[in-house]
């Protein structure tokens, strides 16, 4: 099989680390060769963060470049725009419609691109948008945005629902398992 | 069991399974997790040292005593540890000694892009360079045997993409940690000239023996696929080459970056029509190949700058690149910034407001240089704020002394700020030094240090008294200020700049991200009172923005620090 490339992008502090941990664990359990790459350090301080997840029979490069991503899971709206060029021609973007202003917007040095998702759709990009923050709150915690989004993205993977649930049970701290299962289900059915 | 691990965890597992007894390190991205993972093992001694030189010397002492030992650092940390390294090369080891060094091509989290392979050549010690987590585990584990067999410290070179990428590792059996006998041996371990002069020939002979090993070892491997294109590569570049070229090119993969083989390279070169060297950063392998009189394509096609990707290789070999689309709107940058409630913000606001020249240092507070505060004038290396300020004041005299400060964090002050402060006192400039003490090593992700009162395992430890220390170093004026109190900050800075003697201001408040720090209720803006003056916006707090012409506080980010409240002339922030 060809190597599949998935990107998880968002803002430092949004919980993309847990999402990539969940996905990595799941893919290893499914028997794939897997590489997961992220950059620690400066990016934790509210900066733009990106994680690359690649799986297949044999994966070489740990990173993803322009036109290669099968799926981009974006935790924030404008971050989907930032990384859109990484998407394959027939790739999918799963995006949380939440808006988090970056510092240049806060201090008035730049405009937030409100219509970025419409622009991408008009160019033929398949954009699957949802209000993951509301669904996370419905599941019991605004912190579950990451798992809601993984639930939404799950339908683009050829992996059974039960395997995702097992991976959540193996990755998340026991007291948060039920809440996260609920968050996954809400994302999956949205 | 097969497990996904970042390269740094694989190094930790490898060192542990290789019989490690002692590890001493100073944190630095992208090397920090090696020691963090090692600290979870109870059967080895692990510690954070005040700096990399100390860490490397601790590893030397443990090796001398007969234990397998290690230290880990980022590339610029090896500059600090270079002094012990160069003579460790002469003494050699008793227990195996591994120095892990992590380079940062593209400078994701560093102040320069130096290539640490030059250290291996300059210090004449072998360097191993893994290309994924599995190799990181094996190379780290086997490095002790290499070290003991050839009587040399071994450098293990990581780079960001290997250190922080997870790939599958299958761990093997753990070797028991043993303590070799210690025997006094002045000719080997006292590097006074009479002894050292006899050790130098040993070092040269050792390099020749290691070069023999390089010709035929598990680290360097040939994959013959084509007689048209041959590629010599190493580390993550190997992965990019395989991704793009597959089996259409022959590859010589270098896993031991120093010393490099000669016969193996000549033989490989003779079997292919066109030879390439693909390596990130400096032309290290390329220069070696060229010195052998072999024609090779290297840096003219593959940049000396930044990091590579599969895209780099595809472009260079004229492969078709995949199509891509992008949004039409300009996408604003999202740079890292000081967190909402960061205790450094109040201090930097004070410096910016008073238009003070501030020589900065390495840590979260380097972010004080970002807009809108723009509060820093320089950042060079660990400790350079204080020594730099002294030099600045020497050159520009009294006028400079009255409006310039150094800003340095607690951990960085322990690392190499103290010696600069001694110089300020001893060579007498009226310098004003501000220690931003947030009770943790922040930027690298919350490591303990000698000022926090806890060790790497979180157990209570001796705690440096910063006030007493500064006084002992010769500074008579030492005062503490709370950076959440803007008025107190302003007074302290103005008074200490005015006095005709050196002084230290300790701006003290724990990092707002520490679990032990209790957050206050988020503040709100009374929109009737807000006059849209945007004074609160000058703080650059990520929790404050303008919405519909009025200031707005994001309740999910605000920790209620109250700094913005002190700025509002209309009592609109409540």
């Amino acid at each position: 099989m060809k190597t599949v490339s998935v990107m998880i992008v968002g803002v430092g502090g949004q919980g993309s680390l847990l999402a990539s941990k969940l996905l990595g664990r799941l893919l290893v359990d499914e028997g794939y060769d897997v590489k997961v790459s992220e950059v620690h350090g400066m990016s934790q301080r509210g900066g733009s963060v990106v994680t690359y997840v690649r799986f297949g029979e044999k994966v070489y490069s740990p990173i993803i470049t322009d036109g290669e991503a099968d799926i981009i899971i974006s935790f924030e709206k404008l971050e989907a725009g930032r990384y859109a060029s990484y998407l394959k021609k027939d790739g999918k973007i799963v995006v949380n419609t939440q808006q988090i202003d970056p510092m240049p917007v806060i201090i008035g040095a730049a405009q937030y691109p409100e219509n970025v998702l419409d622009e991408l759709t008009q160019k033929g990009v398949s954009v699957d948008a949802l209000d993951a923050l509301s669904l996370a709150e419905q599941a019991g915690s605004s912190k579950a945005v990451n798992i809601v989004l993984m639930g939404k993205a799950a339908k683009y993977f050829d992996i059974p629902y039960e395997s995702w649930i097992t991976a959540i049970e193996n990755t998340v701290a026991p007291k948060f398992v039920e809440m996260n299962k609920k968050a996954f289900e809400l994302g999956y059915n949205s | 069991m097969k497990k996904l691990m970042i390269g740094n965890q694989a190094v930790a597992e490898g060192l542990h399974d290789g019989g490690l007894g002692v590890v001493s390190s100073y944190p630095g991205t992208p090397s920090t997790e090696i020691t963090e993972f090692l600290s979870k093992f109870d059967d080895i001694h692990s510690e954070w040292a005040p700096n990399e030189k100390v860490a490397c010397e601790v590893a030397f002492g443990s090796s001398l005593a007969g234990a397998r030992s290690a230290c880990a650092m980022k590339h610029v940390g090896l500059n600090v540890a270079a002094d012990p390294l160069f003579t460790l090369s002469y003494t050699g080891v008793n227990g195996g000694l591994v120095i892990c060094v992590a380079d940062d091509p593209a400078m994701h989290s560093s102040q320069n892009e130096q290539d640490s392979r030059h250290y291996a050549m300059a210090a004449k010690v072998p360097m191993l360079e893994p290309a994924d987590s599995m190799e990181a585990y094996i190379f780290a584990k086997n490095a002790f045997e290499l070290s003991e067999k050839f009587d040399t410290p071994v450098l293990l070179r990581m780079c960001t993409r290997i250190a922080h990428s997870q790939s599958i590792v299958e761990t093997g059996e753990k070797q028991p940690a043993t303590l070799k006998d210690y025997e006094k041996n002045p000719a080997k371990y006292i590097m006074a000239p009479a002894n050292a002069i006899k050790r130098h020939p040993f070092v040269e002979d050792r390099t020749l023996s290691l070069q023999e090993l390089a010709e035929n070892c598990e680290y360097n491997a040939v994959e013959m696929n084509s007689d048209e294109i041959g590629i010599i590569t190493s580390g993550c570049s190997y992965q990019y080459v395989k991704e793009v070229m597959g089996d259409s090119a022959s590859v010589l993969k270098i896993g031991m970056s120093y010393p490099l083989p000669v016969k193996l390279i000549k033989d490989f070169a003779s079997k292919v029509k066109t030879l390439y060297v693909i390596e990130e950063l400096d032309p290290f392998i390329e220069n070696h190949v060229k010195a052998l009189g072999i024609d090779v394509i290297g840096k003219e096609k593959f940049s000396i700058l930044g990091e590579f990707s599969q895209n780099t290789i595809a472009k260079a070999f004229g492969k078709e690149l995949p199509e891509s689309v992008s949004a039409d709107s300009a996408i604003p940058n999202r740079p890292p910034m000081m967190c909402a409630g960061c205790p450094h913000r109040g201090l930097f606001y004070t410096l910016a407001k008073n238009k003070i020249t501030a020589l900065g240092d390495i840590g979260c507070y380097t972010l004080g240089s970002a807009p809108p505060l723009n509060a820093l004038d320089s950042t060079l290396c660990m400790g350079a704020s204080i020594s730099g300020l002294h030099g600045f004041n020497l050159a520009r005299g009294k006028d400079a002394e009255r409006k310039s400060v150094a800003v340095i964090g607690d951990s960085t002050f322990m690392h190499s700020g103290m010696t600069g402060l001694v110089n300020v006192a001893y060579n007498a400039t009226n310098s004003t030094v501000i220690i931003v003490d947030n009770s943790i090593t922040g930027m690298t992700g919350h490591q303990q240090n000698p000022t926090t009162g806890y060790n790497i395992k979180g157990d209570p430890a001796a705690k440096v008294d910063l006030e007493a220390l500064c006084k002992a170093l010769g500074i008579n004026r030492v005062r503490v200020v709370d950076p959440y109190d803007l008025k107190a900050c302003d007074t302290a800075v103005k008074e200490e700049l005015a006095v005709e003697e050196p002084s230290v201001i300790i701006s003290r408040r724990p990092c707002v991200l520490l679990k032990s720090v209790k957050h206050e209720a988020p503040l709100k803006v009374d929109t009737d009172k807000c006059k849209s003056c945007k004074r609160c916006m000058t703080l650059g707090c990520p929790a404050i923005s303008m919405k519909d012409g009025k200031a707005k506080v994001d309740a999910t980010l605000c920790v209620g620090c109250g700094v913005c409240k002190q700025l509002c002339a209309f009592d609109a922030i409540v």
Side-chain angles (χ1 to χ4, degrees):
Chain A
M1 78 178 264
K2 273 202 79 170
T3 296
V4 179
S5 298
V6 182
M7 287 170 68
I8 301 172
V9 304
V11 179
Q14 275 194 302
S16 62
L17 216 63
L18 180 71
S20 63
K21 197 173 155 194
L22 169 73
L23 186 55
R25 173 79 191 247
L26 171 66
L27 294 167
V28 172
D29 289 347
E30 292 288 304
Y32 295 108
D33 187 26
V34 183
K35 284 192 177 167
V36 179
S37 184
E38 56 220 359
V39 171
H40 307 202
M42 283 286 220
S43 50
Q44 291 173 352
R45 304 285 170 263
S48 171
V49 290
V50 52
T51 304
Y52 306 113
V53 181
R54 307 190 77 215
F55 65 98
E57 257 169 51
K58 170 74 190 162
V59 181
Y60 287 107
S61 171
I63 62 174
I64 297 168
T65 57
D66 270 2
E68 286 186 337
D70 294 273
I71 305 164
I72 295 177
I73 304 165
S74 180
F75 285 33
E76 198 270 352
K77 195 164 72 175
L78 91 72
E79 294 305 319
R82 186 186 314 284
Y83 293 101
S85 69
Y86 285 73
L87 199 68
K88 246 184 200 158
K89 210 166 168 247
D90 53 354
K92 311 272 178 204
I93 295 183
V94 172
V95 54
N96 179 15
T97 50
Q98 192 181 350
Q99 175 173 338
I100 302 174
D101 288 351
M103 193 47 78
V105 171
I106 290 178
I107 63 174
Q111 286 273 316
Y112 192 98
E114 305 281 349
N115 300 321
V116 67
L117 298 182
D118 293 339
E119 281 175 24
L120 292 172
T121 309
Q122 278 160 23
K123 291 191 171 191
V125 177
S126 162
V127 176
D128 199 347
L130 73 160
D131 180 355
L133 185 58
S134 298
L135 292 178
E137 280 162 357
Q138 206 180 313
S141 165
S142 61
K143 290 198 171 136
V145 161
N146 48 9
I147 303 299
V148 171
L149 283 160
M150 296 314 284
K152 183 72 172 175
K155 64 180 168 191
Y156 300 116
F157 292 83
D158 190 17
I159 293 170
Y161 187 91
E162 297 69 34
S163 303
W164 287 90
I165 297 300
T166 309
I168 289 173
E169 286 165 351
N170 290 333
T171 317
V172 174
K175 62 177 172 176
F176 298 121
V177 164
E178 281 314 310
M179 189 267 288
N180 278 298
K181 275 158 87 170
K182 174 88 180 150
F184 185 85
E185 190 190 334
L186 286 169
Y188 191 87
N189 294 326
S190 71
Chain B
M1 189 186 136
K2 283 185 177 180
K3 222 180 136 190
L4 265 187
M5 284 183 201
I6 58 168
N8 282 346
Q9 182 182 2
V11 169
E13 297 278 347
L15 292 173
H16 178 248
D17 288 355
L20 179 72
V22 175
V23 62
S24 181
S25 302
Y26 185 80
T29 314
S31 72
T32 310
E33 300 85 0
I34 295 173
T35 310
E36 286 187 322
F37 277 107
L38 282 171
S39 73
K40 292 177 184 163
F41 293 111
D42 286 329
D43 55 353
I44 52 177
H45 173 87
S46 54
E47 64 177 34
W48 291 127
N51 69 34
E52 296 86 353
K53 177 172 156 27
V54 172
C56 185
E57 291 157 353
V58 170
F60 158 71
S62 297
S63 161
L64 178 71
R68 289 187 164 179
S69 64
C71 53
M73 59 200 67
K74 67 185 293 171
H75 58 335
V76 286
L78 191 53
N79 301 337
V80 181
D83 199 2
L85 169 68
F86 277 68
T87 308
L88 259 171
S89 172
Y90 279 39
T91 63
V93 303
N94 185 22
L97 198 169
V98 180
I99 300 167
C100 308
V101 56
D103 285 8
D104 190 16
M107 295 177 276
H108 295 283
S109 202
S110 303
Q111 67 269 41
N112 76 24
E113 212 167 14
Q114 71 186 49
D115 186 330
S116 57
R117 292 176 299 175
H118 297 296
Y119 272 111
M121 187 191 242
K124 307 180 185 205
V125 300
M127 174 179 264
L128 303 179
E129 189 170 355
D132 61 21
S133 297
M134 188 66 233
E135 283 191 358
Y137 173 79
I138 295 169
F139 287 15
K141 191 175 173 186
N142 293 349
F144 290 118
E145 263 175 44
L146 185 70
S147 170
E148 287 170 8
K149 188 173 171 200
F150 288 87
D151 193 9
T152 178
V154 172
L155 284 162
L156 181 73
R157 183 194 189 216
M158 304 291 282
C159 71
T160 301
R161 292 299 177 188
I162 304 297
H164 286 167
S165 289
Q166 302 173 49
S167 57
I168 293 171
V169 176
E170 230 176 326
T171 52
E173 268 186 41
K174 179 181 165 20
Q175 294 182 23
T178 50
L179 193 63
K180 292 171 82 176
D181 291 337
Y182 170 69
E183 280 171 38
K184 187 166 173 162
N185 186 351
K188 187 173 187 301
Y189 292 112
I190 300 182
M191 283 302 96
N195 293 333
I197 213 158
K198 290 178 196 144
R199 288 297 290 179
H200 189 187
F202 161 78
V203 171
E204 299 304 326
D205 287 345
R206 183 182 67 202
T207 301
L208 292 177
S209 308
L210 282 162
Q211 201 170 51
E212 272 306 305
L213 176 79
E215 303 293 356
N216 188 9
C217 67
E218 69 204 270
Y219 303 111
N220 301 329
V222 173
E223 300 171 23
M224 280 313 293
N225 297 311
S226 145
D227 47 16
E228 288 292 316
I229 299 173
I231 298 171
I232 306 176
T233 187
S234 68
C236 211
S237 300
Y238 167 80
Q239 306 293 356
Y240 306 138
V241 165
K242 289 300 287 181
E243 173 97 18
V244 174
M245 306 302 282
D247 293 337
S248 70
S250 296
V251 174
L252 167 53
K253 175 169 173 287
I254 298 289
M256 185 152 107
S257 301
Y258 189 81
L260 288 163
V262 172
K263 284 179 246 149
L264 186 65
I265 289 174
K266 282 184 175 167
D267 183 56
F268 181 71
S270 73
K271 287 179 182 160
V272 295
K273 214 160 150 187
T274 315
L275 183 68
Y276 296 84
V277 171
I278 303 180
E279 58 188 325
E280 286 177 335
L281 302 181
D282 293 343
F284 188 82
I285 301 173
E286 183 184 339
N287 287 349
H288 173 78
V289 174
K290 282 182 172 164
L292 299 175
I294 298 168
D295 271 344
V296 62
I297 298 167
K299 286 297 157 193
E300 65 265 48
K301 245 185 152 64
F302 301 94
S303 178
I304 206 163
L305 309 173
E307 58 181 3
F308 295 166
S309 65
Q310 49 270 42
N311 194 283
T312 315
I313 314 297
K315 270 187 198 157
F317 286 97
K319 307 264 181 194
E320 200 182 330
L321 298 174
E323 282 178 57
S324 66
V325 293
S326 35
D328 295 329
S329 296
I331 305 291
N333 285 336
R334 194 186 293 278
M337 57 199 165
M338 288 188 284
C339 308
C342 175
H344 301 325
R345 182 171 284 106
L347 176 82
F348 282 125
Y349 173 79
T350 305
L351 298 181
K353 190 188 93 177
N354 291 298
K355 298 192 168 52
I356 286 164
T357 301
L359 281 80
D361 226 295
I362 309 281
C364 281
Y365 46 94
T366 312
L367 297 171
S369 63
L373 290 167
N374 304 306
L376 288 176
D377 289 68
S378 75
T379 298
L380 182 66
C381 64
M382 298 285 282
S385 58
I386 301 178
S387 16
L389 175 67
H390 177 73
F392 192 85
N393 288 341
L394 284 176
R396 298 192 74 86
K398 280 212 179 320
D399 276 356
E401 286 179 347
R402 289 191 189 113
K403 53 184 184 197
S404 334
V405 299
V407 179
I408 186 167
D410 48 328
S411 186
T412 309
F413 182 70
M414 284 291 111
H415 179 282
S416 47
M418 293 190 283
T419 40
L421 192 60
V422 169
N423 193 45
V424 164
Y426 176 55
N427 285 311
T429 47
N430 296 330
S431 296
T432 303
V433 171
I434 302 172
I435 302 174
V436 284
D437 175 11
N438 65 349
S439 310
I440 203 74
T441 311
M443 187 53 108
T444 44
H446 284 185
Q447 289 76 33
Q448 302 296 342
N449 70 55
T451 70
T452 66
Y454 296 94
N455 65 19
I456 195 169
K457 301 227 183 220
D459 297 327
K463 180 176 159 73
V464 168
D465 179 337
L466 277 176
E467 293 93 310
L469 174 62
C470 293
K471 284 185 179 165
L473 295 177
I475 307 295
N476 295 319
R477 290 185 68 93
V478 180
R479 66 196 278 177
V480 178
V481 70
D482 177 359
Y484 276 2
D485 185 341
L486 289 182
K487 208 170 162 191
C489 262
D490 197 65
T491 308
V493 168
K494 282 178 177 157
E495 283 179 5
E496 296 314 316
L497 280 170
V499 295
E500 297 278 315
E501 65 173 302
S503 52
V504 168
I505 300 169
I506 299 171
S507 170
R508 178 172 288 150
R509 189 170 264 278
C511 173
V512 71
L513 297 183
L514 283 171
K515 285 203 177 102
S516 55
V517 172
K518 197 177 156 278
H519 295 174
E520 300 295 325
L523 300 176
K524 281 185 205 138
V525 175
D526 182 338
T527 46
D528 293 336
K529 286 186 179 172
C530 176
K531 302 277 186 260
S532 312
C533 72
K534 297 189 181 172
R535 201 167 164 211
C536 53
M537 299 290 293
T538 60
L539 283 171
C541 176
I544 310 174
S545 58
M546 295 299 287
K547 281 277 139 65
D548 306 321
K550 302 280 181 178
K552 182 174 182 269
V553 175
D554 183 336
T556 64
L557 290 176
C558 179
V559 298
C561 76
V563 171
C564 57
K565 201 171 161 179
Q566 297 166 51
L567 279 186
C568 185
F570 310 102
D571 298 325
I573 305 176
V574 288

